[in-house]
């Protein structure tokens, strides 16, 4: 299914061929993806648990995002609130509006399933662009503090590491 299209950008359902391309591109920029991860997400989309979206810029996969219909982690777990998961745009395609279009599509789909959408964002500087974008789009912290590996962090404890699993949860009202 196509969610957005103009002369240079297409937002559509993820296709099997996207997995290897995104895997190779993220590897080239120094990340450590696993091609099976993309297939797992597409499998969950086929089961109706989520929507897996790919942004295609000038004919090339440039980023992806997943929208699950019921958060399975953090403070929103089990509350039937849609959650945006693993939003990313390849570095070479950033600052072209692709991320905002991906988020627009995810939020439009989320609005069909609830009046609020949530997400978790990493706290290290590598997530700085995403942090700023989420705030500009109207996302606010949920107030539960920092989470690590799906556990709420407790003040003064030293049980977390600054890695991809250290997150702050945010939400945005889509209507109402």
């Amino acid at each position: 299914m196509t969610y957005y299209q103009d002369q240079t950008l297409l937002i559509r359902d993820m296709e099997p061929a996207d997995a290897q391309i995104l895997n190779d591109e993220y590897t080239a920029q120094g990340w450590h993806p696993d091609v099976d991860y993309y297939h797992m997400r597409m499998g969950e989309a086929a089961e109706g648990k989520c929507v897996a979206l790919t942004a295609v810029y000038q004919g090339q996969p440039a980023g992806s995002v997943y929208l699950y219909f019921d958060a399975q982690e953090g403070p929103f777990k089990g509350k039937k609130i849609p959650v945006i998961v693993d939003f990313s745009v390849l570095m070479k395609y950033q600052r072209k509006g692709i991320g905002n279009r991906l988020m627009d599509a995810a939020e439009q789909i989320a609005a069909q399933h609830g009046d609020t959408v949530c997400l978790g964002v990493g706290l290290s500087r590598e997530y700085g662009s995403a942090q700023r974008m989420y705030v500009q789009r109207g996302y606010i912290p949920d107030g539960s503090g920092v989470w690590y590996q799906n556990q709420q962090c407790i003040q003064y404890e030293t049980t977390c590491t600054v890695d991809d699993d250290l997150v702050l949860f945010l939400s945005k009202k889509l209507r109402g």
Side-chain angles (χ1 to χ4, degrees), residues 59-112:
Q60 296 298 313
S64 60
V65 69
Y66 311 95
L67 176 76
Y68 282 79
F69 303 120
D70 187 12
Q72 297 299 305
E73 297 181 338
F76 301 104
K77 180 179 180 176
K79 295 183 179 178
K80 306 257 187 248
I81 297 174
V83 59
I84 292 170
V85 177
D86 291 342
F87 163 81
S88 64
V89 175
L90 289 161
M91 286 184 217
K92 67 183 180 181
Y93 295 117
Q94 292 178 3
R95 303 242 179 252
K96 298 180 184 310
I98 296 167
N100 274 310
R101 291 292 186 197
L102 265 174
M103 290 295 292
D104 288 345
E107 289 173 4
Q108 288 169 4
I109 298 165
Q112 298 169 13

Side-chain angles (χ1 to χ4, degrees), residues 1-5 9-13:
M1 176 176 220
T2 297
Y3 300 93
Y4 175 83
Q5 185 169 12
L9 183 64
L10 170 68
I11 308 292
R12 60 160 167 74
D13 286 325

Side-chain angles (χ1 to χ4, degrees), residues 135-155:
V135 169
Q136 290 169 349
R137 293 184 65 87
Y139 286 82
I140 59 170
D142 79 301
S144 67
V146 178
W147 289 66
Y148 183 68
Q149 295 181 339
N150 201 31
Q151 298 292 318
Q152 195 171 20
C153 295
I154 310 255
Q155 190 172 16

